[in-house]
Structure formats: structure tokens, C-alpha cells
Amino acid sequence: MAKEHSFDIVSEVNMQEVDNAIVQAVKEIGTRYDFKGSKSSIERTGDEQITIISDDDYKLESVIDILQMKFIKRGLSQKVMEFGKIEKASGGTVRQVISLVAGISSERAKKITVAIRDSKLKVKVQIQGDQVRVTAKSIDDLQAVIQLIKELDLDFPVQFVNMR
């Protein structure tokens, strides 16, 4: 048995589930009566961007609501969505770009490490690129850290992986 146990705190986005949520949202937009004859569309542009185009601001908000509901149904956190500003597009339509945020930035990692160190648990915390590694001799301490992180009101989703 290992002397030290560890896990990593990461922030990842399952792009397959994002694609599935987009497909479901597009299907719903195609079948809804209030979008009949509308130029509303959702598509993934680039690796971590979603572009939404609609006739006006009101319909754009409705499309975003539909997409958010599909995210919830697919088990995706809405905290990964970073909304850009609403722009005018060609043909009298409006466009909004949503960036999908993955990885833990250094400021966010520092926020997590400070919270763990302030808890006075007997654990070691290291920032490793876009993830945070937590190590301890006791699994109970690691579980306490997981509970602590879950209770924090972070503005980004976190997952716990590589529990050893």
C-alpha cells in the first residue's frame, strides 16, 4: 500500500457532451413554433467556442435558455460558459459567441490552494500547470479536502481525478 495518497483537481469540459447538447438544442429550435421561419442557429466554432445567431435579442435569449437546459440535461456545468457581447450580424441578425473555459488558471489555482491551506488539514498542495495536486497520508484528509472544495462557491466547475 502506498504511503501517500493523492488526487488532482481539474476543470475539464466533455466536448462530446457539448456537441450532443448543441445537436439537441438545434433539434428543439427546429421543432418549436416560436422559432418557425427564424434564422436562429447554434454551432461550435473552433475548439472551445459556440456561436449563436438569431433574429433579435429576445430570440437570442431564448436560444441561450434552450442551450443551457440541454447542458443541464447532459450533466454539463453552466459555469464553463463565458458569454461574449451581443454583436450585430449580417441580414439584420444578432450573434453571440460563448467561450468554453477549461483548465484552472493560475489565479484560480491560487484561490483553491489558499482555501485548502487555511483549512489547516494535513495535506500538501501543488499547482501543476492547469491542475492542482493534493497529497496526504490519510485518505480521510483527502476526502475532507474534496468536501471543502465542493462547499466553496467557485465560479468554475471542478472535477476530482487520479485518486490514488
Side-chain angles (χ1 to χ4, degrees), residues 37-81:
S38 170
K39 297 176 187 170
S40 299
S41 69
I42 305 172
E43 62 183 49
R44 202 167 117 208
T45 53
D47 282 343
E48 296 176 350
Q49 284 190 334
I50 299 171
T51 303
I52 299 176
I53 299 173
S54 193
D55 297 335
D56 53 43
D57 291 351
Y58 176 73
K59 283 192 177 165
L60 183 73
E61 288 298 319
S62 296
V63 172
I64 290 172
D65 287 344
I66 292 169
L67 183 63
Q68 288 176 329
M69 292 305 295
K70 298 305 176 187
F71 262 57
I72 291 169
K73 284 186 178 178
R74 306 283 326 166
L76 296 167
S77 174
Q78 293 183 28
K79 293 180 180 180
V80 300
M81 295 178 166

Short mmCIF file of all heavy atoms in Angstrom, two decimals, residues 37-81:
data_model
loop_
_atom_site.label_atom_id
_atom_site.label_comp_id
_atom_site.label_asym_id
_atom_site.label_seq_id
_atom_site.Cartn_x
_atom_site.Cartn_y
_atom_site.Cartn_z
N GLY A 37 -39.63 29.91 -39.14
CA GLY A 37 -39.19 30.96 -40.05
C GLY A 37 -38.05 31.80 -39.49
O GLY A 37 -37.65 32.79 -40.09
N SER A 38 -37.51 31.41 -38.36
CA SER A 38 -36.43 32.16 -37.72
C SER A 38 -35.08 31.75 -38.30
O SER A 38 -34.91 30.64 -38.81
CB SER A 38 -36.44 31.89 -36.22
OG SER A 38 -35.29 32.41 -35.61
N LYS A 39 -34.12 32.65 -38.22
CA LYS A 39 -32.76 32.36 -38.69
C LYS A 39 -31.86 31.94 -37.53
O LYS A 39 -30.66 32.14 -37.56
CB LYS A 39 -32.17 33.60 -39.37
CG LYS A 39 -32.91 34.05 -40.59
CD LYS A 39 -32.31 35.32 -41.13
CE LYS A 39 -33.14 35.89 -42.27
NZ LYS A 39 -32.72 37.22 -42.66
N SER A 40 -32.44 31.38 -36.49
CA SER A 40 -31.69 31.00 -35.29
C SER A 40 -30.85 29.76 -35.55
O SER A 40 -31.33 28.79 -36.14
CB SER A 40 -32.64 30.74 -34.13
OG SER A 40 -33.38 31.90 -33.83
N SER A 41 -29.60 29.81 -35.08
CA SER A 41 -28.72 28.65 -35.23
C SER A 41 -27.68 28.63 -34.11
O SER A 41 -27.36 29.66 -33.52
CB SER A 41 -28.01 28.67 -36.58
OG SER A 41 -27.07 29.72 -36.62
N ILE A 42 -27.20 27.42 -33.83
CA ILE A 42 -26.13 27.21 -32.84
C ILE A 42 -25.09 26.34 -33.53
O ILE A 42 -25.43 25.32 -34.11
CB ILE A 42 -26.64 26.46 -31.59
CG1 ILE A 42 -27.83 27.17 -30.96
CG2 ILE A 42 -25.51 26.32 -30.58
CD1 ILE A 42 -28.48 26.37 -29.86
N GLU A 43 -23.83 26.75 -33.44
CA GLU A 43 -22.78 25.89 -33.99
C GLU A 43 -21.51 26.08 -33.18
O GLU A 43 -21.28 27.12 -32.59
CB GLU A 43 -22.55 26.16 -35.46
CG GLU A 43 -22.08 27.55 -35.79
CD GLU A 43 -21.92 27.76 -37.29
OE1 GLU A 43 -22.85 27.42 -38.04
OE2 GLU A 43 -20.87 28.28 -37.67
N ARG A 44 -20.73 25.00 -33.16
CA ARG A 44 -19.44 25.06 -32.47
C ARG A 44 -18.41 25.57 -33.45
O ARG A 44 -18.19 24.97 -34.50
CB ARG A 44 -19.07 23.69 -31.94
CG ARG A 44 -18.09 23.79 -30.80
CD ARG A 44 -17.95 22.50 -30.08
NE ARG A 44 -16.57 22.11 -30.26
CZ ARG A 44 -16.14 20.88 -30.28
NH1 ARG A 44 -16.96 19.90 -30.14
NH2 ARG A 44 -14.88 20.62 -30.44
N THR A 45 -17.80 26.68 -33.12
CA THR A 45 -16.76 27.26 -33.97
C THR A 45 -15.44 27.16 -33.21
O THR A 45 -15.34 27.63 -32.09
CB THR A 45 -17.07 28.73 -34.29
OG1 THR A 45 -17.29 29.43 -33.07
CG2 THR A 45 -18.30 28.85 -35.15
N GLY A 46 -14.48 26.55 -33.81
CA GLY A 46 -13.20 26.37 -33.12
C GLY A 46 -13.32 25.28 -32.07
O GLY A 46 -14.34 24.61 -31.94
N ASP A 47 -12.27 25.09 -31.31
CA ASP A 47 -12.25 24.03 -30.31
C ASP A 47 -13.14 24.32 -29.12
O ASP A 47 -13.84 23.46 -28.64
CB ASP A 47 -10.82 23.78 -29.82
CG ASP A 47 -10.01 22.97 -30.81
OD1 ASP A 47 -10.62 22.35 -31.69
OD2 ASP A 47 -8.78 22.97 -30.69
N GLU A 48 -13.11 25.56 -28.64
CA GLU A 48 -13.82 25.85 -27.40
C GLU A 48 -14.70 27.08 -27.52
O GLU A 48 -14.71 27.93 -26.64
CB GLU A 48 -12.81 25.99 -26.26
CG GLU A 48 -12.07 24.69 -26.01
CD GLU A 48 -10.99 24.80 -24.97
OE1 GLU A 48 -10.67 25.93 -24.55
OE2 GLU A 48 -10.46 23.76 -24.56
N GLN A 49 -15.43 27.19 -28.63
CA GLN A 49 -16.34 28.31 -28.82
C GLN A 49 -17.64 27.83 -29.44
O GLN A 49 -17.64 26.94 -30.28
CB GLN A 49 -15.73 29.38 -29.72
CG GLN A 49 -14.69 30.22 -29.03
CD GLN A 49 -14.29 31.41 -29.89
OE1 GLN A 49 -14.40 31.37 -31.11
NE2 GLN A 49 -13.82 32.46 -29.26
N ILE A 50 -18.73 28.46 -29.01
CA ILE A 50 -20.05 28.20 -29.58
C ILE A 50 -20.57 29.54 -30.07
O ILE A 50 -20.52 30.54 -29.35
CB ILE A 50 -21.01 27.63 -28.52
CG1 ILE A 50 -20.50 26.31 -27.96
CG2 ILE A 50 -22.41 27.46 -29.11
CD1 ILE A 50 -21.27 25.80 -26.78
N THR A 51 -21.05 29.58 -31.31
CA THR A 51 -21.61 30.80 -31.87
C THR A 51 -23.12 30.62 -32.02
O THR A 51 -23.57 29.64 -32.60
CB THR A 51 -20.99 31.13 -33.25
OG1 THR A 51 -19.57 31.23 -33.08
CG2 THR A 51 -21.53 32.43 -33.79
N ILE A 52 -23.86 31.58 -31.48
CA ILE A 52 -25.32 31.56 -31.57
C ILE A 52 -25.75 32.76 -32.41
O ILE A 52 -25.33 33.89 -32.15
CB ILE A 52 -25.96 31.64 -30.17
CG1 ILE A 52 -25.53 30.44 -29.34
CG2 ILE A 52 -27.47 31.72 -30.28
CD1 ILE A 52 -26.01 30.46 -27.92
N ILE A 53 -26.58 32.50 -33.42
CA ILE A 53 -27.10 33.55 -34.29
C ILE A 53 -28.62 33.48 -34.22
O ILE A 53 -29.20 32.39 -34.26
CB ILE A 53 -26.62 33.37 -35.74
CG1 ILE A 53 -25.09 33.46 -35.80
CG2 ILE A 53 -27.25 34.41 -36.66
CD1 ILE A 53 -24.50 33.13 -37.15
N SER A 54 -29.26 34.65 -34.12
CA SER A 54 -30.72 34.69 -34.08
C SER A 54 -31.22 36.00 -34.66
O SER A 54 -30.44 36.91 -34.93
CB SER A 54 -31.21 34.51 -32.65
OG SER A 54 -32.59 34.24 -32.64
N ASP A 55 -32.56 36.10 -34.81
CA ASP A 55 -33.17 37.27 -35.44
C ASP A 55 -33.04 38.53 -34.60
O ASP A 55 -32.78 39.61 -35.13
CB ASP A 55 -34.66 37.00 -35.71
CG ASP A 55 -34.85 35.87 -36.70
OD1 ASP A 55 -33.94 35.61 -37.50
OD2 ASP A 55 -35.91 35.23 -36.65
N ASP A 56 -33.26 38.41 -33.30
CA ASP A 56 -33.20 39.59 -32.42
C ASP A 56 -32.74 39.16 -31.03
O ASP A 56 -32.53 37.97 -30.77
CB ASP A 56 -34.56 40.29 -32.37
CG ASP A 56 -35.70 39.35 -31.99
OD1 ASP A 56 -35.53 38.53 -31.08
OD2 ASP A 56 -36.77 39.44 -32.64
N ASP A 57 -32.60 40.14 -30.14
CA ASP A 57 -32.11 39.86 -28.79
C ASP A 57 -33.03 38.89 -28.03
O ASP A 57 -32.56 38.02 -27.29
CB ASP A 57 -31.97 41.16 -27.99
CG ASP A 57 -30.84 42.03 -28.50
OD1 ASP A 57 -30.07 41.56 -29.36
OD2 ASP A 57 -30.72 43.18 -28.04
N TYR A 58 -34.33 39.07 -28.20
CA TYR A 58 -35.29 38.22 -27.49
C TYR A 58 -35.13 36.76 -27.89
O TYR A 58 -35.08 35.87 -27.04
CB TYR A 58 -36.72 38.71 -27.76
CG TYR A 58 -37.76 37.83 -27.14
CD1 TYR A 58 -37.98 37.84 -25.77
CD2 TYR A 58 -38.52 36.97 -27.93
CE1 TYR A 58 -38.93 37.01 -25.19
CE2 TYR A 58 -39.47 36.13 -27.37
CZ TYR A 58 -39.67 36.16 -26.00
OH TYR A 58 -40.61 35.34 -25.43
N LYS A 59 -35.06 36.49 -29.19
CA LYS A 59 -34.90 35.11 -29.65
C LYS A 59 -33.53 34.57 -29.29
O LYS A 59 -33.37 33.38 -29.02
CB LYS A 59 -35.15 35.02 -31.16
CG LYS A 59 -36.62 35.06 -31.49
CD LYS A 59 -36.88 34.69 -32.92
CE LYS A 59 -38.39 34.69 -33.15
NZ LYS A 59 -38.76 34.70 -34.53
N LEU A 60 -32.52 35.43 -29.29
CA LEU A 60 -31.18 35.01 -28.89
C LEU A 60 -31.20 34.51 -27.44
O LEU A 60 -30.62 33.48 -27.13
CB LEU A 60 -30.19 36.16 -29.05
CG LEU A 60 -28.74 35.84 -28.74
CD1 LEU A 60 -28.14 34.98 -29.84
CD2 LEU A 60 -27.93 37.11 -28.58
N GLU A 61 -31.89 35.25 -26.57
CA GLU A 61 -32.00 34.83 -25.17
C GLU A 61 -32.73 33.49 -25.06
O GLU A 61 -32.36 32.64 -24.26
CB GLU A 61 -32.75 35.89 -24.34
CG GLU A 61 -31.94 37.14 -24.09
CD GLU A 61 -30.67 36.89 -23.30
OE1 GLU A 61 -30.71 36.10 -22.33
OE2 GLU A 61 -29.63 37.48 -23.65
N SER A 62 -33.76 33.30 -25.88
CA SER A 62 -34.49 32.03 -25.88
C SER A 62 -33.60 30.87 -26.32
O SER A 62 -33.64 29.78 -25.75
CB SER A 62 -35.71 32.11 -26.80
OG SER A 62 -36.61 33.07 -26.32
N VAL A 63 -32.78 31.11 -27.34
CA VAL A 63 -31.86 30.08 -27.83
C VAL A 63 -30.84 29.75 -26.73
O VAL A 63 -30.53 28.56 -26.49
CB VAL A 63 -31.14 30.54 -29.12
CG1 VAL A 63 -30.05 29.57 -29.51
CG2 VAL A 63 -32.14 30.69 -30.26
N ILE A 64 -30.34 30.75 -26.05
CA ILE A 64 -29.37 30.53 -24.96
C ILE A 64 -30.03 29.72 -23.84
O ILE A 64 -29.42 28.79 -23.29
CB ILE A 64 -28.81 31.86 -24.44
CG1 ILE A 64 -27.89 32.47 -25.50
CG2 ILE A 64 -28.05 31.66 -23.13
CD1 ILE A 64 -27.42 33.87 -25.20
N ASP A 65 -31.29 30.04 -23.51
CA ASP A 65 -32.01 29.28 -22.49
C ASP A 65 -32.14 27.81 -22.88
O ASP A 65 -31.95 26.92 -22.05
CB ASP A 65 -33.40 29.87 -22.24
CG ASP A 65 -33.35 31.19 -21.48
OD1 ASP A 65 -32.30 31.48 -20.88
OD2 ASP A 65 -34.37 31.91 -21.50
N ILE A 66 -32.47 27.57 -24.14
CA ILE A 66 -32.60 26.19 -24.62
C ILE A 66 -31.26 25.47 -24.50
O ILE A 66 -31.19 24.34 -24.02
CB ILE A 66 -33.10 26.17 -26.09
CG1 ILE A 66 -34.55 26.66 -26.16
CG2 ILE A 66 -32.98 24.77 -26.69
CD1 ILE A 66 -35.04 26.93 -27.56
N LEU A 67 -30.18 26.13 -24.92
CA LEU A 67 -28.85 25.52 -24.84
C LEU A 67 -28.47 25.23 -23.39
O LEU A 67 -27.94 24.16 -23.09
CB LEU A 67 -27.80 26.43 -25.50
CG LEU A 67 -26.38 25.87 -25.55
CD1 LEU A 67 -26.32 24.60 -26.38
CD2 LEU A 67 -25.43 26.91 -26.11
N GLN A 68 -28.77 26.16 -22.48
CA GLN A 68 -28.44 25.94 -21.07
C GLN A 68 -29.22 24.76 -20.51
O GLN A 68 -28.68 23.97 -19.73
CB GLN A 68 -28.71 27.21 -20.26
CG GLN A 68 -27.70 28.30 -20.53
CD GLN A 68 -28.01 29.60 -19.82
OE1 GLN A 68 -29.16 29.93 -19.58
NE2 GLN A 68 -26.97 30.35 -19.48
N MET A 69 -30.48 24.63 -20.90
CA MET A 69 -31.28 23.49 -20.44
C MET A 69 -30.69 22.17 -20.95
O MET A 69 -30.66 21.17 -20.23
CB MET A 69 -32.74 23.63 -20.89
CG MET A 69 -33.48 24.76 -20.22
SD MET A 69 -33.45 24.70 -18.43
CE MET A 69 -34.36 23.21 -18.13
N LYS A 70 -30.22 22.17 -22.19
CA LYS A 70 -29.61 20.96 -22.75
C LYS A 70 -28.29 20.64 -22.04
O LYS A 70 -27.95 19.48 -21.85
CB LYS A 70 -29.39 21.09 -24.26
CG LYS A 70 -30.67 21.27 -25.04
CD LYS A 70 -31.68 20.17 -24.78
CE LYS A 70 -32.99 20.43 -25.50
NZ LYS A 70 -34.02 19.48 -25.15
N PHE A 71 -27.54 21.68 -21.65
CA PHE A 71 -26.32 21.48 -20.88
C PHE A 71 -26.66 20.78 -19.56
O PHE A 71 -25.98 19.85 -19.15
CB PHE A 71 -25.61 22.81 -20.61
CG PHE A 71 -24.49 23.13 -21.55
CD1 PHE A 71 -24.71 23.18 -22.92
CD2 PHE A 71 -23.22 23.39 -21.09
CE1 PHE A 71 -23.69 23.48 -23.80
CE2 PHE A 71 -22.18 23.69 -21.96
CZ PHE A 71 -22.42 23.73 -23.32
N ILE A 72 -27.71 21.26 -18.89
CA ILE A 72 -28.11 20.69 -17.61
C ILE A 72 -28.50 19.23 -17.79
O ILE A 72 -28.07 18.36 -17.03
CB ILE A 72 -29.26 21.49 -16.99
CG1 ILE A 72 -28.76 22.87 -16.56
CG2 ILE A 72 -29.87 20.75 -15.79
CD1 ILE A 72 -29.87 23.83 -16.17
N LYS A 73 -29.31 18.93 -18.82
CA LYS A 73 -29.75 17.56 -19.06
C LYS A 73 -28.58 16.63 -19.38
O LYS A 73 -28.62 15.45 -19.07
CB LYS A 73 -30.76 17.51 -20.20
CG LYS A 73 -32.13 17.98 -19.79
CD LYS A 73 -33.13 17.78 -20.91
CE LYS A 73 -34.51 18.23 -20.46
NZ LYS A 73 -35.50 18.09 -21.52
N ARG A 74 -27.53 17.15 -20.01
CA ARG A 74 -26.37 16.33 -20.36
C ARG A 74 -25.35 16.26 -19.22
O ARG A 74 -24.30 15.65 -19.36
CB ARG A 74 -25.67 16.88 -21.61
CG ARG A 74 -26.53 17.07 -22.81
CD ARG A 74 -26.92 15.89 -23.62
NE ARG A 74 -25.99 14.82 -23.77
CZ ARG A 74 -26.36 13.64 -24.24
NH1 ARG A 74 -27.58 13.41 -24.59
NH2 ARG A 74 -25.47 12.69 -24.37
N GLY A 75 -25.65 16.91 -18.10
CA GLY A 75 -24.75 16.85 -16.94
C GLY A 75 -23.55 17.77 -17.05
O GLY A 75 -22.54 17.57 -16.38
N LEU A 76 -23.65 18.79 -17.89
CA LEU A 76 -22.56 19.76 -18.05
C LEU A 76 -22.82 20.97 -17.16
O LEU A 76 -23.96 21.39 -17.00
CB LEU A 76 -22.47 20.22 -19.51
CG LEU A 76 -22.09 19.16 -20.53
CD1 LEU A 76 -22.35 19.65 -21.94
CD2 LEU A 76 -20.64 18.77 -20.37
N SER A 77 -21.78 21.51 -16.60
CA SER A 77 -21.91 22.70 -15.77
C SER A 77 -22.03 23.94 -16.65
O SER A 77 -21.33 24.09 -17.64
CB SER A 77 -20.69 22.85 -14.87
OG SER A 77 -20.76 24.06 -14.16
N GLN A 78 -22.92 24.85 -16.25
CA GLN A 78 -23.06 26.09 -16.99
C GLN A 78 -21.93 27.06 -16.66
O GLN A 78 -21.77 28.08 -17.33
CB GLN A 78 -24.40 26.74 -16.67
CG GLN A 78 -25.56 25.92 -17.20
CD GLN A 78 -26.88 26.61 -16.96
OE1 GLN A 78 -26.95 27.82 -16.89
NE2 GLN A 78 -27.91 25.82 -16.84
N LYS A 79 -21.15 26.74 -15.66
CA LYS A 79 -20.03 27.61 -15.28
C LYS A 79 -18.92 27.60 -16.32
O LYS A 79 -18.06 28.46 -16.29
CB LYS A 79 -19.47 27.18 -13.92
CG LYS A 79 -20.44 27.41 -12.77
CD LYS A 79 -19.84 26.96 -11.47
CE LYS A 79 -20.78 27.16 -10.32
NZ LYS A 79 -20.18 26.72 -9.04
N VAL A 80 -18.93 26.64 -17.24
CA VAL A 80 -17.91 26.61 -18.29
C VAL A 80 -18.19 27.63 -19.38
O VAL A 80 -17.33 27.94 -20.18
CB VAL A 80 -17.75 25.21 -18.93
CG1 VAL A 80 -17.35 24.19 -17.90
CG2 VAL A 80 -18.98 24.78 -19.67
N MET A 81 -19.42 28.16 -19.41
CA MET A 81 -19.81 29.13 -20.44
C MET A 81 -19.39 30.54 -20.04
O MET A 81 -19.75 31.01 -18.98
CB MET A 81 -21.32 29.12 -20.66
CG MET A 81 -21.89 27.87 -21.20
SD MET A 81 -23.68 28.10 -21.31
CE MET A 81 -24.13 26.75 -22.30
#
